[in-house]
Amino acid sequence: MTNSSIERLVYRSRVVHPAPMTALEDILPVAQAWNARWGITGALGYTGRTYVQLLEGPTESLDSLLERLRSDLRHTDLRVLARGPAAGRLVTGWSMARIDLTLLEAEVTALLDAGDGEGLAALLAGLVRRGETEAR
């Protein structure tokens, strides 16, 4: 990992196959190890149809991860909703938190429809801070 400024990246994508819970069992161990190695923290939220992810880390690390994510066949239609410099991390101590957003699907959909990446980042970070996560 190089010494560089921290960026925040928020994206959404559509679930393809397998179902989110099954895919997450495969994704999380790999993501947690990769993110920890490259100085990335974050939270991955999901509904039955959509993934929403908040990632924070060095620019180069996020560039590499985004390239990997774009080629992952478990999701499609990846769209970056927000990316830019961050004064500090919203999510600390988590290489990848997992958050079930099913009960908040209406709120998530409204933020997605508005293209509000910062709102999604705040929602995910708030859930992490309140301990509403499934994996560390």
Side-chain angles (χ1 to χ4, degrees):
M1 181 176 65
T2 62
N3 289 332
S4 63
S5 62
I6 298 297
E7 279 194 354
R8 184 169 300 124
L9 168 69
V10 179
Y11 78 86
R12 61 74 118 172
S13 62
R14 297 193 192 286
V15 173
V16 174
H17 182 74
M21 291 306 294
T22 303
L24 288 171
E25 295 305 317
D26 294 334
I27 293 168
L28 278 174
V30 174
Q32 290 167 337
W34 202 91
N35 290 357
R37 179 177 180 201
W38 296 103
I40 296 173
T41 55
L44 174 60
Y46 59 92
T47 67
R49 301 175 301 221
T50 304
Y51 293 118
V52 178
Q53 191 162 18
L54 161 62
L55 297 162
E56 299 170 314
T59 301
E60 299 83 7
S61 297
L62 291 180
D63 288 343
S64 294
L65 180 55
L66 193 55
E67 185 177 317
R68 287 175 51 146
L69 290 168
R70 289 190 190 282
S71 65
D72 190 323
L73 300 178
R74 292 171 288 202
H75 65 159
T76 188
D77 195 23
L78 186 149
R79 294 187 187 177
V80 173
L81 301 172
R83 184 169 184 177
R89 294 179 190 253
L90 295 175
V91 178
T92 58
W94 289 85
S95 60
M96 182 55 57
R98 178 174 75 185
I99 304 169
D100 184 344
L101 296 172
T102 305
L103 296 177
L104 299 172
E105 190 165 0
E107 183 177 351
V108 170
T109 298
L111 290 166
L112 288 170
D113 288 347
D116 188 357
E118 294 300 325
L120 287 163
L123 174 67
L124 291 170
L127 293 168
V128 169
R129 282 192 295 274
R130 290 195 305 267
E132 298 183 35
T133 57
E134 300 174 357
R136 195 179 256 295

